[in-house]
Amino acid sequence: MTPSHWYNIVPDLPAPPPPPLHPGTMRPVGPDDLAPLFPAELIAQEVSGDRFVEIPQEVLDVYRLWRPTPLMRAHRLEKALGTPARIYYKYEGVSPAGSHKPNTAVPQAYYNARQGVRRLTTETGAGQWGSALAFACAQYGLECEIWMVRASYDQKPYRRSLMRLYGATVHASPSSVTGAGSKVLAEEPGSPGSLGIAISEAVEVAGASDDTRYALGSVLNHVLMHQTVIGEEALEQLPEMPDVVIGCTGGGSNFAGLVFPFLREKLAGRISPVLRAVEPEACPSFTRGVYAYDFGDTAGFTPLLKMHTLGHGFVPDPIHAGGLRYHGMSPLLSHMYELGMFEAVAKSQKECFQAGVRFARAEGIVPAPEPTHALAETIAEALRCRESGQEKVILTALCGHGHFDLAAYDRFLGGEMEDFSLPEERISAALAGLPVIRTPSP
């Protein structure tokens, strides 16, 4: 059954996360600061102290198009690996957009429409979020304008076709449509773009119009909370509790959606799984970034967020897992990582695509590049079980299908794919631009 409530983990944490700061005053951001970008009900959810938030019936009605999503056991993958481990995966690729992203796109569009908003703007990396928001806006009669990171815009033409099919306007980012994009193009005409740049463009347009708001597909508390339908369903569907739970991380929504309900049960002493986040070696905000206040976008339009970051000016290499090419990590997850509540590892692009091929040949589902990171670590864990003889139960999130990513698989199978080794000096250069946190003004 689809749950009737979203789960908010904040009240269950041993310490509250640091608040976002206004870059001008250095004081915590208030509702009035967020009102130009988000509707009142989403702002309330962002700072909510309630453990559970009821899902509106109008949202549940749309969820029923694909929820509950299936939980499957990977029998054939287990056999191919020769492992005693039992592998389960929660498959979100059955949604209209082919990923987990509609879990938050639908409520965001609903709350905006209820407040009388006419248009939503957003950014998208690989296109899963843009596809999801375009679909959600179509459900509630909203216009949708999307800035798609240039590297993915070129790599994934059918993702932008899907967004347009749902009625959205799609720009390659950086674009000449905005001041933020024009500035980047003037300095680097061939820029591959980044999520930080695309966020700047979408926020700039949203902030300039009274009937337009901005929608974000990851990072913020309310987005992560909407995704907990994944973990809540998995708790009900699993025939046995996991020893290890693994998910990929870019901004954090997929990982949080799967893990938070299990973490609630762990904090209550009912289960004790190891929780593990997996990120790309080319954009390793958890494993090589710093925990500091930084802007969520490149131009510095957003509040300052305390998060694991590589620096808001960091532009990742154009890896095919475009949904994981973000310079920062969810502030909530960053705070929890600092508290030692889960582990994090980084994986190379080739290892991840090898895992995707292995999974597809065994289970028949072609995974998107993003969840291949979780699959790579799942396979590594299962092979460790083969060596040790441990019969661990492993749960992972297959957060989307790869039907729009076959060109990337072609490159891998043809031996044309590269691994990007990120030099420490690039991280150091980007981190040198972190904002200086001053004493709050009176």
Side-chain angles (χ1 to χ4, degrees), residues 175-186:
S175 75
S176 59
V177 176
T178 68
S182 297
K183 181 181 179 182
V184 174
L185 289 174

Side-chain angles (χ1 to χ4, degrees), residues 33-34 36-38 119-123 145 147 178 180 195-209 212-216 220 296-303:
D33 298 312
L34 299 175
L37 295 180
F38 303 110
R119 176 179 61 161
L120 287 180
T121 67
T122 197
E123 77 294 328
E145 190 165 5
W147 277 263
T178 68
L195 280 167
I197 296 169
I199 291 171
S200 294
E201 297 202 79
V203 168
E204 178 182 327
V205 172
S209 179
T212 302
R213 293 294 182 272
Y214 169 67
L216 188 62
L220 296 181
D297 71 314
T298 300
F301 292 151
T302 68

Side-chain angles (χ1 to χ4, degrees), residues 70-409:
L71 179 102
M72 303 179 181
R73 181 164 168 195
H75 288 284
R76 291 173 176 82
L77 180 62
E78 294 169 10
K79 183 177 179 181
L81 297 175
T83 180
R86 297 185 291 282
I87 302 170
Y88 295 89
Y89 60 97
K90 182 71 165 156
Y91 184 42
E92 293 293 300
V94 297
S95 79
S99 77
H100 68 295
K101 293 293 188 178
N103 297 333
T104 185
V106 171
Q108 288 192 53
Y110 165 74
Y111 289 122
N112 275 283
R114 195 159 79 168
Q115 189 168 298
V117 171
R118 180 182 64 85
R119 176 179 61 161
L120 287 180
T121 67
T122 197
E123 77 294 328
T124 191
Q128 289 100 327
W129 168 242
S131 303
L133 190 65
F135 159 75
C137 285
Q139 305 309 302
Y140 299 107
L142 297 175
E143 295 180 19
C144 186
E145 190 165 5
I146 300 166
W147 277 263
M148 186 176 185
V149 174
R150 165 62 73 176
S152 294
Y153 185 93
D154 294 336
Q155 290 170 351
K156 307 175 194 297
Y158 296 113
R159 269 290 173 196
R160 65 177 190 258
S161 296
L162 182 61
M163 293 179 235
R164 288 169 175 156
L165 188 154
Y166 284 137
T169 299
V170 187
H171 309 284
S173 175
S175 75
S176 59
V177 176
T178 68
S182 297
K183 181 181 179 182
V184 174
L185 289 174
E187 296 171 355
E188 186 184 355
S191 171
S194 70
L195 280 167
I197 296 169
I199 291 171
S200 294
E201 297 202 79
V203 168
E204 178 182 327
V205 172
S209 179
D210 289 340
D211 63 358
T212 302
R213 293 294 182 272
Y214 169 67
L216 188 62
S218 192
V219 177
L220 296 181
N221 294 2
H222 68 269
V223 180
L224 274 56
M225 183 182 70
H226 295 160
Q227 293 293 352
T228 57
V229 293
I230 302 172
E232 297 287 18
E233 287 180 4
L235 276 170
E236 294 293 324
Q237 294 167 320
L238 276 168
E240 52 188 337
M241 286 297 101
D243 299 298
V244 186
V245 183
I246 300 170
C248 64
T249 49
S253 68
N254 154 73
F255 179 75
L258 177 69
V259 164
F260 280 4
F262 286 90
L263 186 51
R264 177 188 67 224
E265 300 304 301
K266 183 176 182 177
L267 291 171
R270 290 185 281 269
I271 57 176
S272 58
V274 172
L275 310 172
R276 190 172 298 144
V278 191
E279 62 185 7
E281 283 187 349
C283 196
S285 52
F286 269 140
T287 54
R288 295 177 66 187
V290 299
Y291 186 51
Y293 272 104
D294 196 9
F295 291 105
D297 71 314
T298 300
F301 292 151
T302 68
L304 294 170
L305 308 172
K306 188 73 176 289
M307 61 182 177
H308 278 264
T309 179
L310 296 165
H312 62 277
F314 178 75
V315 177
D317 292 300
I319 59 172
H320 289 280
L324 306 185
R325 293 178 70 247
Y326 183 55
H327 68 271
M329 186 57 63
S330 153
L332 181 53
L333 282 176
S334 296
H335 172 65
M336 294 165 64
Y337 186 61
E338 287 295 302
L339 293 175
M341 301 181 80
F342 60 88
E343 305 171 353
V345 296
K347 295 286 182 182
S348 71
Q349 183 166 231
K350 286 184 180 178
E351 181 183 357
C352 294
F353 270 85
Q354 181 59 57
V357 170
R358 208 167 190 175
F359 184 87
R361 290 177 179 175
E363 294 294 316
I365 298 172
V366 180
E370 289 77 18
T372 63
H373 291 69
L375 290 173
E377 179 58 22
T378 296
I379 288 171
E381 184 71 30
L383 292 177
R384 288 191 287 268
C385 288
R386 186 178 70 184
E387 296 302 313
S388 67
Q390 291 177 288
E391 297 182 6
K392 289 184 180 180
V393 176
I394 305 171
L395 171 65
T396 190
L398 184 52
C399 58
H401 66 64
H403 298 168
F404 295 103
D405 302 286
L406 295 180
Y409 278 99

Side-chain angles (χ1 to χ4, degrees), residues 9-70:
I9 198 170
V10 173
D12 290 338
L13 296 180
L21 300 180
H22 190 288
T25 65
M26 294 296 162
R27 295 185 180 278
V29 167
D32 290 345
D33 298 312
L34 299 175
L37 295 180
F38 303 110
E41 285 171 289
L42 289 180
I43 295 172
Q45 290 181 7
E46 183 67 18
V47 299
S48 175
D50 297 330
R51 294 181 77 237
F52 294 97
V53 175
E54 186 173 5
I55 304 175
Q57 186 60 49
E58 294 88 343
V59 171
L60 287 171
D61 290 342
V62 181
Y63 274 0
R64 289 193 183 99
L65 290 174
W66 73 96
R67 303 216 71 87
T69 58

